[in-house]
Amino acid sequence: MRDAKIRTDEFLDGAGLLVTLEAPKGNVLDAAMMADLARLLDAARARPGLKALCFTGAGDHFSFGASVAEHVKERAPAMLAAFHGLFIRLANLAVPTIAAVRGRCLGGGLELAAFCNRVIAHPAALLGQPEIQLGVVPPVAAVLLPFRLGQGGADDLILSGRTVAAPDAFALGLVDELADDPVAAATAWATRELGPKSASSLRYAVRAARQGLYRALREELPALERLYLDGLMDTHDANEGLAAFLEKRPPRYTNA
């Protein structure tokens, strides 16, 4: 039996769950880790007293993102279905979520963090959506980032693929708080702000505050998935960008 790729620890007298992505150094969101997360979120539905989910990464980094090897054309349908399914599970659960970010938080890792109600980052953390540098695009970020950053901020990160330092991410609105110990800051915030409140009322509050975002996830993600699989992955350059990354060479784009 394989080792689990996440670790869970309780806080807030059992009303909070710290979920650690545990596959250093990059804590890559591969199929095995996504399956572990899906099982966790399904089990969390049986915990009506749960008031907070806090995501963090083991070691020096939050996550380098989804597995590039699983982005290739033959494996992309299963990867996208599993990854997008995590966000639908989170939306259905509607428990307040926090991301405690250290080191690199990239690609699918940033999509997971950006989904959270609160993002707390170490001042030296680095955040970005580098998919375009591999010739592909981030469907979840295309839905999430306009809600968090506005359309201009979303366009900036998705089209440039640039990585931003945590203080700049804070100025953009991608990060809500800077802290030398993001996990401690996250659990303290949850204890102070969520602990005294009703778990059931908090879930309704999450649904109310995020009604537009959750509708967009449910309605737009399937269309973006088709755009990715039936359009993007039929282009030379998307396949070339992924192959070049895996082969550790510069891409040879043809603009088609």
Side-chain angles (χ1 to χ4, degrees):
M1 183 176 179
R2 69 172 179 82
D3 293 333
K5 289 198 170 184
I6 61 172
R7 184 180 75 247
T8 57
D9 299 281
E10 293 188 348
F11 66 98
L12 197 58
D13 296 325
L17 199 58
L18 176 64
V19 182
T20 303
L21 310 180
E22 197 164 42
K25 75 175 184 180
N27 299 317
V28 171
L29 289 154
D30 61 9
M33 183 180 286
M34 288 191 282
D36 287 344
L37 287 168
R39 282 190 287 270
L40 169 71
L41 296 174
D42 288 343
R45 298 180 67 180
R47 298 182 60 165
L50 194 62
K51 298 180 181 181
L53 282 170
C54 178
F55 295 96
T56 193
D60 295 332
H61 303 286
F62 184 83
S63 174
F64 289 0
S67 167
V68 175
E70 292 173 9
H71 276 72
V72 298
K73 188 172 184 177
E74 297 76 16
R75 303 179 71 182
M79 181 276 294
L80 288 181
F83 188 56
H84 295 174
L86 293 177
F87 293 90
I88 299 303
R89 282 179 167 88
L90 283 165
N92 289 338
L93 188 61
V95 168
T97 47
I98 314 163
V101 175
R102 299 183 69 92
R104 295 182 186 177
C105 179
L106 305 174
L110 180 56
E111 288 171 312
L112 176 60
F115 174 90
C116 292
N117 298 98
R118 189 164 184 83
V119 180
I120 302 175
H122 187 277
L126 298 170
L127 303 91
Q129 295 288 166
E131 286 86 349
I132 193 66
Q133 297 184 28
L134 279 66
V136 293
V137 300
V140 175
V143 178
L144 290 178
L145 292 186
F147 281 88
R148 184 171 271 279
L149 303 179
Q151 191 63 57
D155 289 350
D156 174 18
L157 293 186
I158 292 171
L159 297 179
S160 71
R162 71 188 182 99
T163 298
V164 296
D168 295 326
F170 177 76
L172 287 170
L174 189 58
V175 166
D176 301 301
E177 180 183 345
L178 300 174
D180 289 335
D181 188 337
V183 170
T187 57
W189 181 85
T191 299
R192 182 178 68 252
E193 301 297 342
L194 306 178
K197 299 178 175 69
S198 158
S200 61
S201 296
L202 282 169
R203 295 192 191 207
Y204 279 103
V206 169
R207 292 187 185 103
R210 302 193 135 202
Q211 184 178 26
L213 172 58
Y214 289 175
R215 184 188 306 113
L217 282 170
R218 294 186 180 102
E219 295 178 359
E220 295 176 19
L221 262 186
L224 289 170
E225 198 168 310
R226 296 316 329 160
L227 179 71
Y228 191 105
L229 296 174
D230 298 340
L232 178 68
M233 294 311 295
D234 278 343
T235 68
H236 168 275
D237 286 355
N239 292 282
E240 166 63 15
L242 294 169
F245 179 87
L246 293 170
E247 295 166 13
K248 300 181 179 179
R249 60 171 174 80
R252 296 184 287 270
Y253 292 137
T254 64
N255 301 315

